[in-house]
Amino acid sequence: MKTALITGITGQDGSYLAEFLLEKGYRVVGMTRRSSTDVHGRIEQIIERIEIVSADLLDQSSMTNMIALVKPDEVYNLAAQSFVPTSWSQPVLTGEFTALGVTRILEAIRAANPKIRFYQASSSEMFGKVQQTPQNETTRFYPRSPYGVAKVYGHWITVNYRESYDMFACSGILFNHESERRSKEFVTRKITDGVARIKLGLADELRLGNLDAKRDWGYAGDYVEAMWLMLRQSEPDDYVIATGRTHSVRDFARAAFEAAGLGSHEPYVKMDPRFMRPAEVDVLVGDASKAKRVLGWQPKVSFEELVQRMVEADIARLAHHAVV
């Protein structure tokens, strides 16, 4: 039985990856930070089948001790300060977690067992002010937020350890991927939660920022399979994971209101300057042809199905609060 260690197991991607690896017969160990509150909501259904260890990306000794204790065959680093707007208000903390945290894990692996296979969660936000459309593995990075800058560091330090120490270290440059488990501060979930509230009579408007920003949105459950496939290869490499389709925030809102049977989004959606970024990333769309060719990976859930799933899940969750 192989052992997989997942940092950020309580997040959207961590929960889907843990379920996927359990189905593959892995011993799954999740790393969490010590907290006074219960943060295991997304993994509640599998908590009895996994192991949880406490460590902190800010503390080198805790990372080194954890790797030595768990003895993983594979490490998936999904932990980060991953909300782009927060990276503007907490840029130093974002750098500590999202950039230097990667180095701490790589150092812990190098000290314990350099043969451990490592996956780093890179991000399409690294492309930022895009230099080429669509974006692939050779597109130049031009990040437009402290989060994007930190992810570029995490990406290149992974490449550096791979080349310097002959470690099996991969980066998945994942474009936006959503699900019913997405946190509500992200725009897609903010939209589907807002639509559900309007549908159920709990709200009468939805306030959003830049409606013209365009993203390549896929389903998180599809994307975790690509992470696993990267660590199955004979040689480590980096891969873009994306659908190749782009939609605007306005498109997402339109689809969500239609999925809820509310008709046009226009009477309900209000643009609010408070939600605009200091530097916007206008268009992101990925070219995943390398992943399709080398990994045999394909996205399965369409944009329309993704929006439908998220809207239905939020309506079901909020139904008991509905106005009678």
Side-chain angles (χ1 to χ4, degrees), residues 21-66:
L21 293 175
L22 285 172
E23 290 177 6
K24 295 290 182 184
Y26 278 70
R27 169 191 173 220
V28 175
V29 182
M31 186 200 92
T32 62
R33 301 178 74 202
R34 289 199 182 277
S35 172
S36 59
T37 57
D38 182 10
V39 294
H40 294 158
R42 293 187 184 91
I43 55 172
E44 206 169 18
Q45 71 283 5
I46 56 170
I47 196 70
E48 300 299 325
R49 301 171 59 200
I50 63 177
E51 300 169 41
I52 298 293
V53 294
S54 291
D56 196 321
L57 282 175
L58 303 185
D59 179 39
Q60 182 67 63
S61 62
S62 76
M63 299 304 299
T64 302
N65 293 338
M66 177 190 65

Side-chain angles (χ1 to χ4, degrees), residues 114-274:
K115 298 302 180 186
I116 293 169
R117 295 194 167 203
F118 175 74
Y119 170 84
Q120 165 61 14
S122 288
S123 168
S124 59
E125 288 286 331
M126 300 188 305
F127 295 120
K129 188 175 181 180
V130 298
Q131 306 298 293
Q132 169 188 332
T133 299
Q135 296 87 53
N136 62 29
E137 293 81 5
T138 63
T139 303
R140 188 163 69 90
F141 300 139
Y142 195 143
R144 297 271 281 172
S145 67
Y147 169 77
V149 172
K151 278 293 187 183
V152 170
Y153 175 97
H155 180 87
W156 280 116
I157 200 66
T158 301
V159 173
N160 187 258
Y161 270 65
R162 177 169 75 215
E163 296 179 349
S164 301
Y165 302 116
D166 195 28
M167 293 170 63
F168 196 104
C170 296
S171 285
I173 307 173
L174 271 57
F175 280 65
N176 294 65
H177 46 289
E178 317 298 318
S179 75
E180 309 92 312
R181 301 179 191 175
R182 184 56 121 170
S183 298
K184 282 190 280 186
E185 66 264 27
F186 289 86
V187 68
T188 51
R189 184 71 194 290
K190 182 179 179 181
I191 290 171
T192 61
D193 176 78
V195 166
R197 291 177 185 277
I198 292 169
K199 172 73 171 178
L200 297 170
L202 302 172
D204 54 16
E205 68 175 18
L206 173 60
R207 292 188 169 270
L208 299 171
N210 183 7
L211 297 176
D212 296 318
K214 293 181 178 179
R215 295 292 183 271
D216 183 329
W217 277 300
Y219 177 58
D222 290 343
Y223 284 38
V224 298
E225 180 185 15
M227 302 174 188
W228 176 76
L229 286 169
M230 288 178 212
L231 300 194
R232 307 274 68 71
Q233 305 308 305
S234 57
E235 297 293 332
D237 207 346
D238 306 322
Y239 299 88
V240 162
I241 304 300
T243 70
R245 296 178 65 197
T246 186
H247 296 88
S248 66
V249 173
R250 183 179 282 102
D251 292 336
F252 198 104
R254 183 185 297 116
F257 276 92
E258 289 175 357
L262 290 169
S264 174
H265 65 288
E266 291 181 356
Y268 306 102
V269 174
K270 313 294 181 189
M271 199 170 123
D272 192 326
R274 292 178 302 162

